[in-house]
Amino acid sequence: GVGEEVPVYGLDREIAAAMAAKHDPKLEAEVCKWIATVSGTPQPDGVTMQEWLKSGVVLCQLANKLKPGVVKKVNTGKLAFMQMENVSSFIAACRELGVGEADVFSTVDLYEGKNMNQVTQCIYSLGGAVQLTCPGFPGPHLGIAPRSVGKSDPKRPSVMATQMGGFAGVMERQKPTERADYVVKPIDRSGYAPRTPPQQSVTPSSA
């Protein structure tokens, strides 16, 4: 049935055991309390952190309370792709608000409950980072503010470049090819490039 737990084998089982050992219920409770207070949405009784947050709605509310408008669109629909889009928007907001790449979680960590420890760690790090990056946020605060954010993390610029400069990156990849094509066309003595360079001449197929 749908509610049945899928058995875990081999390496996955070892990883699951290691994650269970790392789980810190006290930290999780502290993080959940902070999310509820800041977002204004309490965690219902008997609902796990993963069940409460997986739609991404509460996390987007949290981000927008920390920095109004940091998440432009919040989907309230029940469809999986809408909820995962919310989670992705929250992750992008975490990066923008100064969470280092090592602390950021992936969508499946939360949506499928793959690594809730990482989700907890990311939100705890967010609580510290916003003490520097969101001076207008009155609190309550979570964790300790780092000495600096963003620039001290060597991975962060490349991630931002990948996210924001996607098209520019594609254009840059295409340009060298065009230049290379232009250079390899042989120029004959009369000063113009022959229409078909010798190395590209097509021999009639014997088929």
Side-chain angles (χ1 to χ4, degrees):
V2 178
E4 289 176 11
E5 274 196 31
V6 180
V8 183
Y9 302 104
L11 186 62
D12 284 347
R13 190 173 198 160
E14 288 175 27
I15 293 169
M19 283 183 186
K22 276 175 66 178
H23 179 241
D24 184 344
K26 192 175 172 187
L27 181 65
E28 182 181 300
E30 191 182 345
V31 164
C32 287
K33 183 181 176 185
W34 184 70
I35 295 168
T37 305
V38 176
S39 70
T41 304
Q43 181 178 3
D45 290 338
V47 172
T48 66
M49 181 183 186
Q50 191 261 344
E51 291 166 339
W52 180 41
L53 300 180
K54 71 175 281 189
S55 74
V57 173
V58 175
L59 292 177
C60 289
Q61 290 170 345
L62 169 69
N64 281 334
K65 284 287 174 69
L66 297 170
K67 184 181 178 183
V70 71
V71 175
K72 303 285 186 290
K73 176 187 170 193
V74 183
N75 298 304
T76 53
K78 302 290 183 193
L79 294 174
F81 82 90
M82 290 183 168
Q83 297 186 345
M84 285 193 273
E85 191 176 273
N86 287 340
V87 176
S88 295
S89 296
F90 173 73
I91 292 167
C94 286
R95 288 187 173 118
E96 186 176 327
L97 297 176
V99 176
E101 199 58 32
D103 289 333
V104 174
F105 67 92
S106 66
T107 305
V108 293
D109 287 341
L110 171 58
Y111 195 78
E112 297 178 13
K114 296 272 188 189
N115 190 349
M116 289 305 295
N117 294 337
Q118 189 67 27
V119 176
T120 303
Q121 179 58 46
C122 177
I123 297 167
Y124 186 77
S125 297
L126 175 65
V130 297
Q131 294 176 47
L132 287 185
T133 58
C134 299
F137 172 61
H141 290 107
L142 176 71
I144 300 161
R147 277 179 289 188
S148 63
V149 292
K151 287 179 184 174
S152 63
D153 185 343
K155 287 186 183 174
R156 189 173 154 76
S158 62
V159 170
M160 294 305 289
T162 308
Q163 276 190 328
M164 300 175 68
F167 285 108
V170 172
M171 294 303 289
E172 282 304 313
R173 281 198 294 277
Q174 286 174 348
K175 276 182 195 164
T177 315
E178 289 167 8
R179 283 197 293 271
D181 277 17
Y182 195 77
V183 172
V184 294
K185 283 180 184 170
I187 307 298
D188 73 2
R189 296 287 176 194
S190 58
Y192 63 88
R195 290 174 70 100
T196 310
Q199 69 267 36
Q200 292 181 12
S201 59
V202 180
T203 48
S205 174
S206 55

